[in-house]
């Protein structure tokens, strides 16, 4: 049996109020008021497609000790930070995966996530071992555009394998057609979109049902038997119209979360799938479809294993722990569309020594420390010397992973003197469970969130951006632990 072994997702904490956007642009685009309902997810300044993919993967996989069975990693995105550097390789380092893992990237289409999923199924079927599928996007848009309201930021993760799966793969259907509903030329940051009615009537309505029909035929499932129908679209009620054309019952249409987080691009269908799996019943049939350069659809049957399988936090957790953001200029600044005065302290060169970054990649990207085998003390960064006062030791350290360990704040500071993209600049000394102390930055914090003794967890984030050479540097930051609410994880019946 081949299918989904584990699942997870990630949604940034900030939720931009659509009303705040509409009101800020009312002088120029008063028509936006009609779409100013709900919110959209908004990546922090130190988040991008890579950091969100890592967050979703950690939610899916759980402790790092359980990742040794992964043989391939497929990363799908249309907004990767590097045009020529293996972005998926950065993710592998952050997850401390084995160097023998094959990492591939998928892009060029909003259905790249589903394409990565079906290729993962083929890989598992051919005996290639468990494959981790990640899909993430953080898209840009022009100010006062409908896309600014419709889009959201987020990521999803699925581990595909055989054996004790939580959702069995039954079949898929693919239709490749050069139907251009939008495009983004190389070197451009913003999509150019075509007329909505044309896309809706000639594209989605005619192409998606064909892909769905092919998937139903391969899975030998009738449309009316589908229990959960997932079709993300920014067009209002488009999912219901597509379901009707495909013969799917209207009550099977799944809420696409558009009002709460927006449409998160390449990973949105898989993100909604991860959310559905949190409460799906054994035996339920799930159909996931997505439109882009044609259409693609996949079908799963939920198994009994769903009763015991849960992500580390789950999409429900991220949905429940969002915080409203009404500052539109902050959103513009985080997206790089508003240049703010930085002062002289923001003028330093941020060039990265690539040779040093390579030599210390495990410590920097994986947050791997060194534990002395003789004293048991943890040192970060790791080195050949264990600096015990009066009795130094050489070559006694072994790798000691810190990213999945809880920690507490020893001391902290919040200041406005140094340049920071989201002031105040918050940082402090962090003590890890089991040993280890690091001076780290805090992220996703508000006033009063951090005190001495506050429990924190690690988050893979952007450390700095070299705007001269267009190089993004990554490291880990501390985030206050927010306890799960009772409503975070619906129990499977």
């Amino acid at each position: 049996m081949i299918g989904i072994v584990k699942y997870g997702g990630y949604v940034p904490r900030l939720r931009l109020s659509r009303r705040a956007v509409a009101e800020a642009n009312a002088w120029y685009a008063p028509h936006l008021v009609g779409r100013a309902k709900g919110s959209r997810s908004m990546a922090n300044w130190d988040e991008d497609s890579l950091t969100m993919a890592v967050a979703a993967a950690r939610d899916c996989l759980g402790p790092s000790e359980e990742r040794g069975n992964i043989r391939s990693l497929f990363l799908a995105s249309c907004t990767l930070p590097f045009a020529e550097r293996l972005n998926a390789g950065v993710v592998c380092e952050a997850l401390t995966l084995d160097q023998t893992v094959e990492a591939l990237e998928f892009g060029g289409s909003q259905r790249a996530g589903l394409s990565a999923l079906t290729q993962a199924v083929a890989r598992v079927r051919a005996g290639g071992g468990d494959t981790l599928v990640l899909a993430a996007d953080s898209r840009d848009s022009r100010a006062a555009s409908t896309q600014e309201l419709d889009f959201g930021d987020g990521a999803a993760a699925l581990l595909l394998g055989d054996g004790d799966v939580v959702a069995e793969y039954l079949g898929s259907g693919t239709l490749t057609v050069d139907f251009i509903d939008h495009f983004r030329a190389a070197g451009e940051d913003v999509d150019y979109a075509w007329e909505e009615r044309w896309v809706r009537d000639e594209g989605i309505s005619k192409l998606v049902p064909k892909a769905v029909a092919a998937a139903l035929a391969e899975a030998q499932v009738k449309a009316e038997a589908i229990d959960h129908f997932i079709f993300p679209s920014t067009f209002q009620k488009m999912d219901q119209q597509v379901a009707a054309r495909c013969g799917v019952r209207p009550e099977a249409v799944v809420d696409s979360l558009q009002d709460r987080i927006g449409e998160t691009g390449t990973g949105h269908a898989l993100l909604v799938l991860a959310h559905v799996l949190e409460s799906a019943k054994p035996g339920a049939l799930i159909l996931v479809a997505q439109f882009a350069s044609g259409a693609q659809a996949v079908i799963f049957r939920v198994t009994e294993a769903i009763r015991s399988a849960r992500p580390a936090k789950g999409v429900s957790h991220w949905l429940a722990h969002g915080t409203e953001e009404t500052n539109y200029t902050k959103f513009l600044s985080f997206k790089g569309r508003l240049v703010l005065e930085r002062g002289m302290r923001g003028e330093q060169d941020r060039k990265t020594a690539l040779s040093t970054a390579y030599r210390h990649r495990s410590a920097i990207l994986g947050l791997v420390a060194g534990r002395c085998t003789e004293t048991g003390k943890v040192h970060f960064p790791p080195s050949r010397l264990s600096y015990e006062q009066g009795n130094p030791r050489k070559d006694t350290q072994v790798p000691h992973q810190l990213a999945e360990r809880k920690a507490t704040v020893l001391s902290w500071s919040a200041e406005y003197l140094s340049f920071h993209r989201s002031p105040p600049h918050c940082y402090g000394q962090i003590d890890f469970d089991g040993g280890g102390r690091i001076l780290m930055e805090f992220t996703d914090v508000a006033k009063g969130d951090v005190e001495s003794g506050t429990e924190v967890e690690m988050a893979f984030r952007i450390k700095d951006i070299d705007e001269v050479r267009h190089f993004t540097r990554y490291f880990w930051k501390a985030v206050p632990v927010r306890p799960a609410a009772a409503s975070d994880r619906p129990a499977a019946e």
Side-chain angles (χ1 to χ4, degrees), residues 30-95:
H31 63 280
L32 294 180
V33 175
R35 306 173 72 120
K37 296 180 181 179
S39 60
R40 55 151 292 175
S41 55
M42 167 184 161
N44 205 333
W45 78 267
D46 58 358
E47 295 184 291
D48 63 6
S49 296
L50 287 191
T51 66
M52 292 191 296
V54 170
R58 295 173 69 204
D59 187 50
C60 169
L61 299 175
S64 56
E65 294 81 5
E66 301 176 5
R67 301 172 187 174
N69 61 327
I70 298 174
R71 305 312 313 146
S72 304
L73 184 146
F74 294 169
L75 174 62
S77 176
C78 291
T79 57
L80 293 173
F82 294 97
E84 188 166 348
R85 179 191 183 187
L86 189 61
N87 297 271
V90 178
V91 175
C92 288
E93 294 281 5
L95 298 176

Side-chain angles (χ1 to χ4, degrees), residues 405-461:
R405 294 178 180 273
K406 292 291 174 43
T408 54
V409 177
L410 175 66
S411 62
W412 62 280
S413 179
E415 46 93 355
Y416 287 86
L417 293 177
S418 60
F419 164 72
H420 195 263
R421 295 174 187 270
S422 182
H425 187 190
C426 299
Y427 52 88
Q429 294 282 359
I430 308 300
D431 284 341
F432 287 85
D433 291 356
R437 176 178 294 174
I438 307 178
L439 178 64
M440 303 190 74
E441 290 185 80
F442 299 111
T443 190
D444 287 350
V445 294
K447 186 176 181 179
D449 281 353
V450 176
E451 298 287 349
S452 295
T454 298
E455 186 178 9
V456 293
E457 57 191 352
M458 299 300 105
F460 185 70
R461 295 294 178 93

Side-chain angles (χ1 to χ4, degrees), residues 38-282:
S39 60
R40 55 151 292 175
S41 55
M42 167 184 161
N44 205 333
W45 78 267
D46 58 358
E47 295 184 291
D48 63 6
S49 296
L50 287 191
T51 66
M52 292 191 296
V54 170
R58 295 173 69 204
D59 187 50
C60 169
L61 299 175
S64 56
E65 294 81 5
E66 301 176 5
R67 301 172 187 174
N69 61 327
I70 298 174
R71 305 312 313 146
S72 304
L73 184 146
F74 294 169
L75 174 62
S77 176
C78 291
T79 57
L80 293 173
F82 294 97
E84 188 166 348
R85 179 191 183 187
L86 189 61
N87 297 271
V90 178
V91 175
C92 288
E93 294 281 5
L95 298 176
T96 61
L97 299 183
D98 191 85
Q99 291 184 355
T100 60
V101 167
E102 183 175 12
L104 301 175
E105 295 172 8
F106 294 72
S109 165
Q110 292 295 292
R111 62 181 172 91
L114 288 187
S115 297
L117 190 155
T118 56
Q119 289 303 304
V121 169
R123 175 67 62 94
V124 175
R125 184 174 286 156
D130 288 2
T131 299
L132 179 63
V133 175
L134 306 176
D137 262 334
S138 180
R139 294 174 292 178
D140 206 352
S141 57
R142 288 190 173 87
S145 66
T146 56
Q147 288 83 5
E148 189 174 49
L149 298 177
D150 291 337
F151 290 172
D153 304 319
L158 300 174
L159 182 63
L160 277 295
D162 55 11
D164 195 19
V165 302
V166 300
E168 179 188 6
Y169 172 83
L170 298 182
S172 65
T174 302
L175 199 68
T176 300
V177 180
D178 189 30
F179 184 97
I180 307 174
D181 62 318
H182 74 280
F183 68 91
R184 186 173 74 255
E188 297 295 324
D189 297 324
V190 177
D191 297 350
Y192 182 86
W194 202 240
E195 196 269 326
E196 288 188 7
R197 189 175 66 172
W198 167 262
V199 175
R200 183 178 61 246
D201 296 346
E202 288 297 318
I204 297 175
S205 296
K206 294 183 178 180
L207 299 180
V208 176
K210 294 180 180 179
V212 170
L216 290 169
E218 182 173 295
Q220 298 182 1
V221 171
K222 295 184 179 298
E224 56 269 22
I226 296 297
D227 298 292
H228 305 282
F229 178 75
I230 299 171
F231 179 71
S233 174
T234 58
F235 300 149
Q236 191 173 19
K237 298 183 179 180
M238 194 70 240
D239 50 359
Q240 299 175 18
Q241 295 177 32
V242 171
R245 284 180 175 268
C246 296
V248 175
R249 295 174 292 115
E251 57 269 26
V253 177
V254 174
D255 177 14
S256 65
L257 308 176
Q258 177 68 25
D259 290 341
R260 303 178 67 180
I261 62 173
E263 206 273 334
T264 61
T266 303
H268 197 73
L270 302 186
L271 181 68
V272 178
L273 172 59
H275 189 224
V276 168
L277 288 173
E278 290 183 43
S279 57
K281 301 177 182 178

Side-chain angles (χ1 to χ4, degrees), residues 273-332:
L273 172 59
H275 189 224
V276 168
L277 288 173
E278 290 183 43
S279 57
K281 301 177 182 178
L285 292 170
I286 303 175
L287 194 160
V288 186
Q290 200 151 3
F291 168 80
S293 299
Q296 197 158 3
V298 295
I299 299 176
F300 292 95
R301 178 186 287 116
V302 180
T303 72
E304 289 290 336
I306 197 69
R307 299 184 186 277
S308 57
R310 286 289 180 271
K313 292 185 177 179
V315 177
S316 294
H317 172 90
W318 306 118
L319 293 175
H321 287 75
T323 182
E324 185 181 44
E325 179 58 67
T326 59
N327 194 326
Y328 180 57
T329 58
K330 179 187 288 188
F331 170 75
L332 294 178

